[in-house]
Amino acid sequence: LEYLQFNAASHSTILIKNVMDKFTRKPYGFNDSDVQWLLAILFRHRRIDLIHEGKTYRGNDVDLKRALDLLTTRSNMDKVKIELCESVTPEQIYRATNIYNSLFSKSIQSDEVRIVETVNQSAKEMLKLVEGTMKFYDLEPRYPGRNDLIEVGAVLKGLSEKQSPELFKYTDQNEEMLRSLRDRLNNVTDFFAVNSQRKALFDRGISSLKASADNEDYLPPEVKDVASQIRDIIDSEYSKIPQLNILCPTLEGHIKSAVDAYRSEIKMEIEKEFGSIRDEHVDNPDLYDSIGRSIDACLSDMDSATSIAAMNSKKSGCKFLIEQSIKSVPMPEPVPATGSPSEPGGSQTPV
């Protein structure tokens, strides 16, 4: 390694042939396989890269067959260049160990190779958690934390692929971001945890907004202002969610009052409008009772409606139901009129 470092310092091109010639001759006298084995160790542990025909090969990215071809094929000896990798300092190893112990909640050995292997594997495992959590946004795109989750996922994907020394350089340049990564992820996963109060409150806010939209034309301006405040919170991040504890009951109370008032009004309209139809058939007890039952069913159905739009729709259904009642009950046969003496078939008084 010192030989390689010396030549690199003088910006000399180093070929595998140069190394073989240097260490198989006196005073060293190593055989070919010894030198190739040492080069293979340096290559595998990213102390050196190999360059062949303009392409750079890195130890962890090359399969065994290709590595052996580069290092041991005689025709490649004067074609494959050796380039020193940047070395990783003890300070970088200490910093990376500290950061990734915290990020992945694991005890990582303070060893360059072990750190890279553990970070790659742990990042892949955590990325699965991110991908699983992203499915919640398919159900409700307005849930908070989506952007955080996308950014965390992108960082983890990069960590799952980085090798030495790139991983350590990246860690140095992004220390603050990496130290906050776990908290950002936890904010999102805690929101979606089973029995999460924040998610339950957020869902209630969405439900309140839907109820407000369903009854918007019948709500006073001050109620619409409360709905606007809830909408702002839904569109923001986590910090404002607790405010929904006050805003949701306020909005729900106003909506309930408006819906209940409209329910009383529309029930009176049904009784008046369809009651007059029923009274037109007072001489037909079956039809009178049938229409009466339809009216009672309509009034009862109004009690289950939770929005003014639903009540208007149900009223249209009531009209159809009563029309069907009228069609289903046969009208009474008309009583035949008594004929006069002068009409054919009329009764005649005997003389």
Side-chain angles (χ1 to χ4, degrees), residues 110-233:
S110 297
D111 172 82
E112 181 182 345
V113 175
R114 291 293 186 186
I115 290 172
V116 172
E117 290 176 348
T118 304
V119 169
N120 290 167
Q121 182 59 35
S122 299
K124 290 175 183 176
E125 293 170 358
M126 190 173 282
L127 193 55
K128 291 180 181 178
L129 172 62
V130 170
E131 291 168 351
T133 306
M134 282 297 295
K135 295 178 181 178
F136 284 103
Y137 298 99
D138 294 335
L139 303 175
E140 176 48 72
R142 288 174 291 182
Y143 282 141
R146 184 190 187 100
N147 290 337
D148 271 345
L149 207 59
I150 291 173
E151 291 173 11
V152 169
V155 172
L156 290 172
K157 189 174 189 306
L159 291 176
S160 72
E161 298 170 349
K162 292 187 186 302
Q163 300 300 315
S164 181
E166 287 85 3
L167 175 65
F168 295 91
K169 290 169 62 177
Y170 178 82
T171 304
D172 291 343
Q173 295 165 359
N174 297 278
E175 178 177 357
E176 185 177 348
M177 180 273 290
L178 290 169
R179 290 191 184 279
S180 68
L181 203 67
R182 185 79 198 197
D183 287 340
R184 293 174 68 188
L185 178 58
N186 285 346
N187 269 340
V188 182
T189 55
D190 288 350
F191 176 85
F192 291 112
V194 177
N195 298 325
S196 165
Q197 293 184 352
R198 286 191 301 171
K199 182 176 179 296
L201 197 53
F202 196 92
D203 287 340
R204 184 176 181 181
I206 291 175
S207 178
S208 296
L209 286 180
K210 183 180 184 306
S212 173
D214 288 344
N215 301 284
E216 186 174 12
D217 295 338
Y218 302 88
L219 299 176
E222 60 270 20
V223 178
K224 295 179 182 179
D225 181 60
V226 176
S228 179
Q229 293 179 57
I230 293 176
R231 193 175 295 107
D232 289 342
I233 293 173

Side-chain angles (χ1 to χ4, degrees), residues 275-303:
S276 63
I277 296 175
R278 176 196 58 200
D279 293 342
E280 291 175 3
H281 301 281
V282 67
D283 56 342
N284 185 341
D286 290 339
L287 182 54
Y288 182 89
D289 290 344
S290 178
I291 295 175
R293 287 192 297 272
S294 296
I295 292 174
D296 291 341
C298 291
L299 295 174
S300 177
D301 200 26
M302 286 296 166
D303 292 332

Side-chain angles (χ1 to χ4, degrees), residues 200-209 211 223 226-227 230 233 241-258:
L201 197 53
F202 196 92
D203 287 340
R204 184 176 181 181
I206 291 175
S207 178
S208 296
L209 286 180
V223 178
V226 176
I230 293 176
I233 293 173
I241 290 178
Q243 297 178 32
L244 296 176
N245 273 314
I246 297 174
L247 293 173
C248 286
T250 301
L251 179 59
E252 291 162 357
H254 283 300
I255 293 173
K256 185 177 184 306
S257 297

Side-chain angles (χ1 to χ4, degrees), residues 97-109:
T97 301
N98 181 270
I99 290 173
Y100 295 119
N101 275 342
S102 175
L103 175 57
F104 298 118
S105 300
K106 290 184 176 181
S107 180
I108 303 175
Q109 296 180 28

